[in-house]
């Protein structure tokens, strides 16, 4: 079926619930004109359900294959491969009078940020909503639909190729079901979150998720994410900083996943073993393509560090785990988290993940507690739960 075949066509998929079967209409949207009509109607609603389907194998950025939109009346599967101008949809994302509902929104937000240059504001995430009801941080959509709606979904098309055309009937049904069931799931979750008094906290948590997605990684700090960078001395870190920055910028320019530019381990080897020739690169396991395409450039960056003064080198990386008293402090913080878990019924990994505990300790021990860069555990809804409990523990 071509995009032309899809245009203006309505499909149905069957829904089984409580031994009854319903037919639900959904529409394949393939033109900007029709998209404008669909989105204008959606903008009259208080909430809309959103989902995306994409493919990412070798690319840095996701390749968008489909966008699902359900406003309670109209269920639209929007084909971004057929539509030249998606601005009506982006306008809906920016419309702050309409709450956008997603599930496990992280990668969807990345899609919207890349393609639309904006995020769906305001946004509520049903996975986060479930966390406020005692679920862990990774509750799956199928699990929640089963628990709250009594329906078992078929997830067989989750890893399918969403860039292929025509989309199969199974793909279309799968995509439509994701937003169709999202609406009643959202309604049930919202009611329970409100009853437990967590609505304001939910809004804060979802807003925080979006703020984190807006921040683009700093290429000058890319070396800090390289595994075992802490093992390197300052001069070696200077090499790693240069090549990691170059790799990130190259990946963005070519839309190529980082490790398809140069493998992370090979960047580390270049810095650690002071590699200064292509022969040594080959001996250390660099791919032939890496050497042919990027070898000279990488070696030049390594040689350039020889001309830098030691004052220009990055500081040696000090790991939190190597600081005196770290393990004891982590245990004391976790003890407090356990107490809050007992009082609130929220999962400990949602209250304070390992990353958030380390962020708190780093803020106090390495950054000297800057007031303009507060850790997650001491701001928004977590502040009232943890400020009095953990602040006094951070003094050394």
């Amino acid at each position: 079926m071509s995009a032309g075949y899809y245009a203006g066509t309505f499909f149905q998929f069957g829904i089984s619930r409580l031994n009854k079967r319903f037919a639900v209409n959904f529409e394949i949207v393939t033109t900007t004109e029709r998209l404008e009509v669909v989105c204008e109607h959606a903008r009259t609603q208080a909430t809309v359900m959103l989902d995306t389907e994409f493919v990412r194998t070798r690319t840095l950025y996701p390749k968008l294959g489909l966008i699902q939109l359900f406003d309670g009346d109209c269920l639209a599967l929007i084909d971004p491969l057929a539509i030249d101008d998606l601005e009506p949809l982006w306008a809906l994302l920016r419309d702050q009078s309409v709450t956008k509902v997603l599930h496990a929104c992280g990668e969807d937000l990345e899609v919207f940020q890349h393609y639309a240059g904006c995020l769906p504001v305001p946004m509520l995430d049903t996975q986060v909503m479930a966390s406020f009801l005692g679920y862990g941080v990774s509750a799956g959509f199928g699990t929640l639909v089963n628990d709250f709606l009594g329906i078992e979904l078929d997830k067989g098309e989750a890893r399918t190729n969403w860039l292929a055309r025509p989309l199969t009937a199974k793909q279309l049904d799968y995509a439509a079901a994701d937003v169709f069931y999202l609406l009643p799931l959202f309604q049930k979750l919202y009611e329970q979150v409100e009853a437990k008094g967590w609505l304001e906290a939910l809004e804060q948590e979802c807003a925080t998720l979006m703020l984190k997605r807006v921040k683009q990684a700093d290429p000058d700090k890319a070396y800090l994410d390289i595994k075992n960078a802490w093992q390197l001395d300052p001069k070696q870190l200077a090499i790693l900083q240069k090549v990691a920055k170059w790799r990130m910028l190259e990946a963005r320019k070519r839309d190529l996943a980082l490790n398809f530019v140069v493998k992370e381990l090979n960047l580390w080897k270049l810095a650690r073993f002071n590699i200064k020739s292509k022969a040594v690169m080959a001996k250390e396991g660099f791919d032939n393509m890496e050497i042919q395409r990027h070898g000279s450039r990488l070696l030049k960056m390594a040689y350039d560090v020889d001309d830098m003064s030691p004052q220009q080198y990055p500081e040696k990386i000090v790991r939190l785990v190597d600081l005196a008293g770290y393990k004891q402090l982590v245990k004391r913080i976790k003890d407090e988290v356990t107490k809050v878990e007992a009082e609130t019924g929220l999962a400990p990994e949602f209250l304070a993940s390992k990353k958030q505990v380390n962020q708190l300790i780093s803020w106090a021990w390495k950054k000297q507690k800057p007031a303009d860069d507060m850790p997650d555990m001491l701001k928004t809804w977590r502040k009232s739960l943890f400020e009095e409990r953990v602040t006094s523990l951070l003094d050394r």
Side-chain angles (χ1 to χ4, degrees), residues 256-288:
L256 199 59
L258 290 170
N259 277 325
F260 284 107
V261 179
V262 177
K263 290 185 176 65
E264 178 178 307
L265 177 59
N266 291 339
L267 296 186
W268 184 88
K269 286 179 178 178
L270 184 78
R272 174 66 180 83
F273 302 127
N274 195 30
I275 295 175
K276 293 295 180 64
S277 74
K278 292 182 181 179
V280 177
M281 280 182 166
K283 183 180 177 181
E284 289 295 340
F286 282 62
D287 291 345
N288 287 333

Side-chain angles (χ1 to χ4, degrees), residues 112-337:
F112 292 135
Q113 183 66 35
H114 177 63
Y115 282 92
C118 66
L119 294 176
V121 181
M123 182 276 297
L124 294 178
D125 186 321
T126 49
Q127 189 174 71
V128 177
M129 297 174 81
S131 292
F132 279 107
L133 299 178
Y135 281 78
V137 295
S138 301
F141 183 64
T143 297
L144 295 178
V145 168
N146 196 9
D147 288 358
F148 286 86
L149 305 179
I151 297 166
E152 189 170 342
L153 295 179
D154 177 9
K155 302 301 286 183
E157 299 299 315
R159 299 300 176 190
T160 192
N161 181 9
W162 291 101
L163 300 180
R165 293 296 184 271
L167 295 171
T168 67
K170 281 189 174 182
Q171 286 177 305
L172 296 174
D173 285 357
Y174 169 90
D178 268 1
V179 285
F180 179 80
Y181 290 116
L182 187 58
L183 177 57
L185 175 63
F186 164 71
Q187 291 168 336
K188 284 184 175 290
L189 290 171
Y190 190 92
E191 180 180 321
Q192 293 190 30
V193 171
E194 184 177 34
K196 288 182 176 292
W198 288 118
L199 271 187
E200 184 178 356
L202 168 66
E203 293 168 356
Q204 292 173 350
E205 186 72 2
C206 291
T208 298
L209 283 175
M210 288 197 289
L211 280 175
K212 290 178 179 177
R213 287 287 169 176
V214 169
K215 295 178 182 177
Q216 191 172 42
D218 182 353
D220 286 316
K221 296 181 179 178
Y223 75 103
L224 296 172
D225 293 325
I226 302 294
K227 186 177 180 180
N228 293 326
W230 62 272
Q231 296 177 351
L232 305 183
D233 64 32
K235 183 175 181 181
Q236 293 167 340
L237 285 174
I239 297 173
L240 189 66
Q241 183 181 41
K242 279 184 174 291
V243 295
K245 176 180 180 177
W246 165 81
R247 185 179 71 149
M248 179 175 282
L249 295 176
E250 185 76 2
R252 290 177 182 174
K253 181 172 70 175
R254 296 171 58 196
D255 188 15
L256 199 59
L258 290 170
N259 277 325
F260 284 107
V261 179
V262 177
K263 290 185 176 65
E264 178 178 307
L265 177 59
N266 291 339
L267 296 186
W268 184 88
K269 286 179 178 178
L270 184 78
R272 174 66 180 83
F273 302 127
N274 195 30
I275 295 175
K276 293 295 180 64
S277 74
K278 292 182 181 179
V280 177
M281 280 182 166
K283 183 180 177 181
E284 289 295 340
F286 282 62
D287 291 345
N288 287 333
M289 185 60 70
E290 290 176 335
I291 297 172
Q292 292 172 16
R293 178 170 288 201
H294 304 302
S296 297
R297 185 181 289 105
L298 292 170
L299 292 172
K300 181 182 185 305
M301 285 185 275
Y303 276 109
D304 285 345
V305 172
D306 291 337
D307 297 326
M308 293 173 58
S309 69
Q311 288 75 27
Q312 295 174 290
Y313 299 160
E315 292 183 1
K316 182 87 169 68
I317 297 172
V318 178
R319 296 188 302 167
L320 285 175
V321 70
D322 295 327
L323 296 177
Y326 167 78
K327 291 181 180 178
Q328 294 87 340
L329 178 56
V330 168
K331 183 182 183 307
R332 295 175 72 185
I333 293 172
K334 285 186 175 179
D335 288 343
E336 296 303 323
V337 173

Side-chain angles (χ1 to χ4, degrees), residues 328-344 346-348 351-352 357 360 377-378 382 384-394:
Q328 294 87 340
L329 178 56
V330 168
K331 183 182 183 307
R332 295 175 72 185
I333 293 172
K334 285 186 175 179
D335 288 343
E336 296 303 323
V337 173
T338 299
K339 294 176 186 176
V340 175
E341 176 193 6
E343 294 172 6
T344 62
L346 303 185
L351 286 167
V357 170
L360 173 70
M377 290 180 68
L378 297 181
R382 290 182 178 87
S384 62
L385 298 177
F386 289 111
E387 186 173 39
E388 291 185 6
R389 296 175 183 271
V390 303
T391 302
S392 61
L393 304 178
L394 300 173

